[in-house]
Amino acid sequence: MIQSGYRGLSLVLELSLDRILIPAAIVVGLAGGAMIGAEVAKLQIPQSDFMR
């Protein structure tokens, strides 16, 4: 009985981990892309000594 409860719990954790991992990977990818895009945008701004 304890063994079947443990199997059920491990199955629930495995399914919930799968449901959490994919959206978390998407969010991390979007945040990383935003950070890279912000750095690229900073590099493309023309340098001007008159604007301070």
Side-chain angles (χ1 to χ4, degrees):
M1 178 144 182
I2 293 174
Q3 212 171 19
S4 66
Y6 175 74
R7 286 185 197 153
L9 182 62
S10 70
L11 179 63
V12 167
L13 288 176
E14 187 176 328
L15 289 175
S16 66
L17 180 65
D18 195 35
R19 289 182 181 255
I20 292 171
L21 189 62
I22 292 172
I26 292 171
V27 168
V28 167
L30 288 172
M35 290 173 57
I36 291 171
E39 292 298 320
V40 169
K42 284 181 189 176
L43 291 175
Q44 292 180 347
I45 295 174
Q47 296 285 331
S48 177
D49 292 331
F50 298 114
M51 297 178 71
R52 287 189 187 206

